[in-house]
Amino acid sequence: MKKSPCKRNDAYAAMCTCRDMLDVLAQRWTALAIGAMEEGPQRFGQLRSRLEGISPKVLTQTLRRLEDKGLVIRTVYAEVPARVEYELTPLVRSAAEPLSALRTWAEMNSVRPSTSV
Amino acid sequence: MKKSPCKRNDAYAAMCTCRDMLDVLAQRWTALAIGAMEEGPQRFGQLRSRLEGISPKVLTQTLRRLEDKGLVIRTVYAEVPARVEYELTPLVRSAAEPLSALRTWAEMNSVRPSTSV
DNA sequence: CAGTATCCAAAAGGATACTG
DNA sequence: CAGTATCCTTTTGGATACTG
């Protein structure tokens, strides 16, 4: 998919604003990656082991997308060997509440998860 | 993508419950389709014209996925010519609030929409 | 009318080897 | 260590013709 066809009216446009977030959040590892950073900055390798099964390429993609949206900050330390840390921005933390509401809704309504556990 | 690897701990599992919703909601036409049904039941053809540009195959896919999740009800009327109506369930209406919260968050934080006009 | 069937393109995800 | 490069599979979306 490339672009959403959002040009019909305000309601649709507003829905699309949120859809853009959903686009990112719904990607395979995004929510898990955010979860893995919740307790503080994480190095690439740490994320890689916490997100068991993710390939380095996909982890990079996931982190770049989060970075592009301003949800994660990437910090490179001039050390040898290289050290890079990823941390959540206040922006993504402020999303916790609406996301939590959505999660609660999903649980309360027993939306059958095809994924969890 | 097929399955999410959610089996690490409760926090991850909970996140995945919500992820399952995100999976559906983030699909190309889902949010628009829901929007198109907000004022009441819609026939296949009505949806098709309201969702300008959607192909019949994709519309069917979109509606089936919503049906599978219990977000939409499909009713077939024994008439000639055939009449089929799709309507939102109370379940999806109850998601309006958390989704609205997410939308508000996205707007307040100027998450750059790559999609909305 | 309300789809299904077919074929195709693009995007996302993934395994693995290699590098500054 | 923190990625990139390469190649491949799966998923999603799409155009179009056809059918009960």
Side-chain angles (χ1 to χ4, degrees):
Chain A
M1 106 198 68
K2 43 214 104 162
K3 298 290 181 181
S4 290
C6 304
K7 45 175 179 279
R8 299 186 68 76
N9 58 42
D10 287 348
Y12 279 27
M15 198 163 263
C16 288
T17 305
C18 142
R19 242 213 58 138
D20 199 58
M21 270 309 296
L22 295 177
D23 273 343
V24 181
L25 294 172
Q27 311 216 44
R28 186 84 162 74
W29 295 92
T30 301
L32 295 173
I34 291 174
M37 285 180 277
E38 249 162 23
E39 290 135 36
Q42 300 284 321
R43 303 180 60 166
F44 190 88
Q46 289 179 303
L47 290 172
R48 205 173 156 184
S49 55
R50 295 192 69 167
L51 305 176
E52 202 181 351
I54 196 169
S55 75
K57 194 200 76 168
V58 173
L59 178 53
T60 301
Q61 281 178 353
T62 302
L63 292 169
R64 289 286 180 281
R65 282 186 284 230
L66 285 169
E67 211 188 336
D68 289 345
K69 290 292 171 193
L71 304 180
V72 155
I73 290 177
R74 176 177 180 268
T75 310
V76 184
Y77 295 90
E79 301 176 0
V80 178
R83 181 160 68 99
V84 178
E85 282 189 351
Y86 294 88
E87 64 180 316
L88 301 180
T89 63
L91 177 57
V92 76
R93 292 188 186 283
S94 73
E97 199 177 325
L99 284 177
S100 162
L102 187 60
R103 185 152 67 234
T104 301
W105 170 85
E107 282 163 359
M108 281 180 45
N109 293 285
S110 314
V111 173
R112 28 194 171 305
S114 62
T115 54
S116 61
V117 179
Chain B
M1 105 198 68
K2 44 210 105 163
K3 298 288 179 181
S4 289
C6 304
K7 47 175 179 279
R8 299 187 68 76
N9 60 41
D10 287 349
Y12 279 28
M15 199 163 261
C16 289
T17 305
C18 144
R19 241 214 57 140
D20 199 58
M21 270 309 297
L22 295 177
D23 272 344
V24 181
L25 293 172
Q27 311 217 42
R28 186 81 163 76
W29 296 91
T30 300
L32 296 173
I34 291 175
M37 285 180 276
E38 249 163 22
E39 291 137 37
Q42 300 284 320
R43 305 180 58 166
F44 190 88
Q46 289 179 304
L47 290 171
R48 204 173 156 185
S49 54
R50 294 191 71 166
L51 305 175
E52 202 181 352
I54 197 171
S55 76
K57 193 200 76 168
V58 173
L59 179 54
T60 300
Q61 280 179 354
T62 303
L63 292 169
R64 288 287 180 280
R65 281 187 285 233
L66 286 169
E67 211 187 336
D68 289 345
K69 290 292 170 193
L71 304 180
V72 155
I73 290 177
R74 176 176 180 267
T75 309
V76 184
Y77 295 89
E79 302 176 359
V80 178
R83 182 161 66 101
V84 178
E85 282 189 351
Y86 294 88
E87 65 180 314
L88 301 181
T89 62
L91 177 57
V92 76
R93 293 189 185 282
S94 73
E97 198 177 325
L99 284 176
S100 162
L102 187 61
R103 185 153 68 235
T104 301
W105 171 85
E107 282 163 357
M108 282 181 45
N109 293 285
S110 314
V111 173
R112 26 195 174 302
S114 63
T115 53
S116 59
V117 172

